[in-house]
Amino acid sequence: MRILSIQSSVAYGHVGNSAAVFPLQRLGHEVWPVNTVHFSNHTGYGAWRGPLLAASDVADVITGIGEREVPGRGDNGAETVSVLGTADAVLTGYQGAEDVGQVVLDTVAMVKELNPAAVYCCDPVMGDVGRGMFVRPGIPEFMRDAVVPAADLITPNHFELDFLAGVETRTMDEVLAAVDAVRERGPRTVLVTSLLHDAVPEGHLDVLAVTDEGAWAVTTPQLPISPNGAGDLTSALWLAHLLTAPSAAEALAATTSAVYGVLRATLESGFRELQLVPSQEEIVHPSERFEARRVR
């Protein structure tokens, strides 16, 4: 599978492309990372260095990729096509400004024109429980009104789902109704992470996947750790497994099992950053398997 990943990048640690590219490659997929920033470390440290790339620079890199050509499928075997036409998916995470978001939308439209079978997976990074919105004003509305409707797959956390749906959810039925409301606006597949509802056992959390075929949930222990980049890792693995696994239920089980394995290894290490490289075997062969159950 070939994936165009447009996200932030850090030299130290694992967020954005620095959290998504290696796991996807470890699963055997080709990834074309396009960076929107190149920081020394993620902003959770309170201090960082490095450039925030202009939207025009991001667009220029994508244009350059599109100018590369590979052999096509013409009758004589000599036809060439743009590399972007061979992309199976576009993956995006944090979008710091509307102009970068517009580059993303233009790129998704271009890739889909070249390959109508390509899908767009958007992690609508905006905020979280306990922190509220942590993006600048205007971004949440832009994500809700422009970016999310253009996506095929979205991966909001519980807080972000409630914002997108304009409701506050406490029960699984309310969560499913909120997901359905968002799905009516465009994205047919929704993965809700860090889901806490009234039926989740204490000390646990749910991850919920909803597609046209049904809805499934996985319950895992809630580890006392919330490292930056965990959402980026989850979105990348969900996209990869959804496009390759026999079913959405199996993709959900594979994704949650791998993420849990990496998080547990990170907790045990005592380090703040995701331990992607030391725990890379968890990405491919998770040591603990969680099964998905149908909830609708």
Side-chain angles (χ1 to χ4, degrees):
M1 193 163 62
R2 301 178 182 91
I3 301 168
L4 176 67
S5 183
I6 309 172
Q7 303 195 55
S8 59
S9 177
V10 294
Y12 174 74
H14 299 284
V15 300
N17 271 335
S18 304
V21 173
F22 174 70
L24 288 170
Q25 292 172 331
R26 188 66 177 81
L27 289 172
H29 304 297
E30 185 71 35
V31 189
W32 309 325
V34 175
N35 298 330
T36 55
V37 309
H38 185 53
F39 289 164
S40 55
N41 49 269
H42 66 69
T43 59
Y45 285 96
W48 65 93
R49 296 178 182 271
L52 171 68
L53 300 180
S56 58
D57 291 332
V58 177
D60 203 33
V61 171
I62 295 168
T63 297
I65 297 173
E67 289 171 346
R68 305 285 69 78
E69 294 186 335
V70 293
R73 298 190 179 96
D75 292 338
N76 60 8
E79 181 183 352
T80 59
V81 297
S82 167
V83 163
L84 288 178
T86 69
D88 298 292
V90 178
L91 172 65
T92 65
Y94 171 71
Q95 298 176 27
E98 290 91 337
D99 55 354
V100 173
Q102 189 57 55
V103 170
V104 167
L105 292 175
D106 292 344
T107 301
V108 169
M110 177 170 53
V111 169
K112 290 197 167 199
E113 182 178 355
L114 294 169
N115 178 17
V119 300
Y120 171 33
C121 179
C122 168
D123 182 6
V125 179
M126 296 176 288
D128 204 352
V129 173
R131 299 177 62 189
M133 291 294 182
F134 50 68
V135 295
R136 71 175 182 78
I139 293 297
E141 293 76 14
F142 180 74
M143 295 295 293
R144 180 192 63 200
D145 300 335
V147 180
V148 166
D152 301 290
L153 291 66
I154 62 170
T155 60
N157 60 35
H158 193 170
F159 175 86
E160 292 160 342
L161 171 70
D162 283 359
F163 170 78
L164 293 174
V167 297
E168 185 174 340
T169 58
R170 294 186 177 89
T171 69
M172 178 60 87
D173 286 343
E174 290 173 344
V175 170
L176 289 169
V179 169
D180 287 343
V182 174
R183 291 175 71 237
E184 287 299 318
R185 301 176 195 165
R188 299 307 300 166
T189 298
V190 177
L191 182 79
V192 185
T193 63
S194 303
L195 177 58
L196 292 170
H197 54 83
D198 61 358
V200 177
E202 185 176 353
H204 292 71
L205 52 79
D206 271 2
V207 181
L208 173 72
V210 183
T211 73
D212 288 337
E213 285 69 47
W216 299 265
V218 169
T219 302
T220 70
Q222 185 174 13
L223 297 170
I225 185 175
S226 183
N228 294 72
D232 303 318
L233 170 64
T234 302
S235 297
L237 294 180
W238 169 243
L239 171 63
H241 288 305
L242 187 66
L243 296 186
T244 57
S247 68
E250 293 188 51
L252 176 61
T255 299
T256 53
S257 299
V259 172
Y260 183 82
V262 171
L263 290 179
R264 185 179 58 192
T266 300
L267 175 63
E268 293 171 351
S269 75
F271 285 94
R272 175 174 180 172
E273 298 289 344
L274 283 174
Q275 296 299 293
L276 283 182
V277 176
S279 64
Q280 60 183 279
E281 194 62 21
E282 292 286 347
I283 297 169
V284 183
H285 302 294
S287 56
E288 186 170 355
R289 173 80 176 185
F290 297 94
E291 296 301 328
R293 66 185 186 279
R294 182 180 281 272
V295 296
R296 189 173 68 189

